[in-house]
Amino acid sequence: MHTTSFYHTAPDGVLQCDLCRHYCRIRPGRSGLCRVRKNIDGRLIALTYGRALSQSVDPVEKKPLYHFMPGTATWSFGTAGCNFTCANCQNWQISQALPDEEATPFIPPEKIVQNAIRAGCPSISCTYTEPTIFAEYALDVMKLAKESGLKTIWVSNGYLSPLCLDTIHPWLDAINVDLKSMDDAFYRRLCGARLAPVLDSLRQIRKSGIHLEITTLVIPGHSDDPAMLERLAGFIADELASDVPWHLIPFYPEISWKMHETPATEPSALETAWQIGRDAGLQHVYSASHNDTLCAHCGATLVKRERQFIGAQVKRFDAGGRCPSCNQPSPVKN
Ligand code: SF4
């Protein structure tokens, strides 16, 4: 059993988890909202430490990260559980799974790093489910990864606490955060969370210097309203930076957890959202039909991507970190 260090005992004796913005108060024998942190005999236990449910090699573009080591593979892993309950979740089989220590073999952090090195991956991604809820495991993997010269990535819903962010900061190179909507009602209704903490996290991440990209799932009738998308793009441009990449991805009802009756995203809705991002001044907006990275100064192609994003399907033209046409610095990090 792995005792977490991210908690304190409240004056009334209840354990309070300090890892994410839910700040659950957890009584003896009970678990937090994520169901993977449990008060056992007065200690807060991380039930999924070492219990990776899913491991595989993905293109880094699939995270999605387009301005960080493009064309490379990343060793990806995650554990059961999540601090959100998104009805649209496409990984719900593991995000909504209960921790099962007996059915899930223990995989030590060293093994995750060995797997990445054996597979030839220059980075490790904490992904598939929310890394915040397995932060101790992620941290131990990240520390070993750095010792081995690997980069580290999180794919997050942005609900991590300032304490969590400060703790992972020295070990984290890049993060993609879902900004699902600018409506608090959306977060309450579909995710069991709130909007404001996500915006706070995004501001802090941007200030921290960790490489940041943002993703929005465009769900018909829920997160495709042009006025909302204008506010969202405006937030990125005005409060973060106009060079933060914004990824627009389509919703697929058949693989969602609970939204089978909602239609799939039409290509025209993605195109509308893409134009909203560009009109807001965002320099790099990506969607199914906008996959290439273009120079923000002259429009020359810096990275060309075909659909599967691997090997020769990602071609770079920004040798030396500069645009081949106007010689301005490329926004893409190696
Ligand atoms: S990680 Fe978040 S959801 Fe889980 S117990 Fe801690 S505060 Fe609650």
Side-chain angles (χ1 to χ4, degrees):
M1 288 202 300
H2 191 96
T3 305
T4 167
S5 49
F6 294 98
Y7 76 100
H8 68 274
T9 305
D12 59 2
V14 174
L15 303 188
Q16 180 175 320
C17 179
D18 298 321
L19 201 45
C20 93
R21 307 265 188 156
H22 285 306
Y23 296 116
C24 295
R25 286 168 43 81
I26 308 174
R27 296 184 183 285
R30 307 296 294 268
S31 301
L33 282 172
C34 59
R35 299 178 297 173
V36 303
R37 301 185 164 264
K38 188 170 183 179
N39 180 340
I40 299 178
D41 298 331
R43 294 182 298 146
L44 196 61
I45 303 297
L47 296 175
T48 57
Y49 185 95
R51 310 284 170 176
L53 258 190
S54 189
Q55 291 188 80
S56 65
V57 177
D58 288 331
V60 74
E61 269 88 355
K62 207 176 154 189
K63 296 301 111 191
L65 290 174
Y66 276 25
H67 291 197
F68 187 78
M69 306 175 87
T72 64
T74 183
W75 187 264
S76 304
F77 77 102
T79 71
C82 190
N83 53 354
F84 279 19
T85 50
C86 300
N88 56 278
C89 183
Q90 308 195 341
N91 280 335
W92 60 271
Q93 287 94 341
I94 55 172
S95 73
Q96 300 306 317
L98 288 169
D100 186 345
E101 289 183 61
E102 285 180 16
T104 315
F106 182 78
I107 302 173
E110 297 81 3
K111 181 70 179 159
I112 301 271
V113 177
Q114 283 166 11
N115 289 344
I117 292 170
R118 275 201 200 112
C121 296
S123 68
I124 293 181
S125 292
C126 304
T127 179
Y128 301 135
T129 55
E130 174 53 43
T132 305
I133 59 120
F134 60 90
E136 298 85 359
Y137 189 31
L139 260 174
D140 287 349
V141 170
M142 290 155 72
K143 289 175 182 173
L144 291 171
K146 300 303 268 181
E147 282 174 16
S148 299
L150 304 182
K151 301 286 188 191
T152 58
I153 293 167
W154 271 32
V155 179
S156 173
N157 57 28
Y159 227 58
L160 65 177
S161 67
L163 172 67
C164 181
L165 178 59
D166 287 346
T167 308
I168 63 171
H169 180 193
W171 316 102
L172 183 62
D173 294 300
I175 186 167
N176 185 300
V177 175
D178 269 356
L179 180 52
K180 299 167 187 289
S181 171
M182 285 300 274
D183 287 333
D184 188 54
F186 175 103
Y187 272 88
R188 279 190 278 119
R189 189 176 70 247
L190 291 186
C191 310
R194 306 298 298 261
L195 167 65
V198 180
L199 302 183
D200 275 354
S201 291
L202 283 166
R203 294 184 189 103
Q204 288 171 17
I205 291 167
R206 177 65 190 179
K207 274 195 201 130
S208 75
I210 297 166
H211 176 77
L212 170 66
E213 303 196 17
I214 292 175
T215 297
T216 301
L217 179 68
V218 179
I219 309 174
H222 295 277
S223 55
D224 62 346
D225 174 49
M228 184 283 291
L229 291 167
E230 277 171 24
R231 281 187 284 131
L232 197 158
F235 168 80
I236 299 173
D238 299 339
E239 297 209 36
L240 303 178
S242 59
D243 64 353
V244 172
W246 187 30
H247 300 266
L248 298 158
I249 58 173
F251 169 73
Y252 297 106
E254 62 277 10
I255 56 171
S256 74
W257 184 28
K258 291 180 175 174
M259 296 179 70
H260 298 220
E261 306 306 319
T262 302
T265 311
E266 295 287 343
S268 60
L270 288 182
E271 198 58 27
T272 300
W274 183 87
Q275 193 59 54
I276 287 170
R278 296 292 289 149
D279 290 347
L282 295 180
Q283 295 170 8
H284 304 285
V285 186
Y286 296 104
S287 71
S289 54
H290 299 277
N291 275 308
D292 296 342
T293 299
L294 307 180
C295 175
H297 302 278
C298 71
T301 301
L302 301 176
V303 184
K304 181 148 194 61
R305 299 181 176 86
E306 305 297 340
R307 286 301 300 146
Q308 296 305 315
F309 303 137
I310 32 181
Q313 291 174 314
V314 176
K315 291 196 182 74
R316 295 190 64 171
F317 301 95
D318 58 345
R322 300 215 156 248
C323 171
S325 176
C326 69
N327 206 35
Q328 289 291 322
S330 167
V332 176
K333 295 172 184 159
N334 287 320

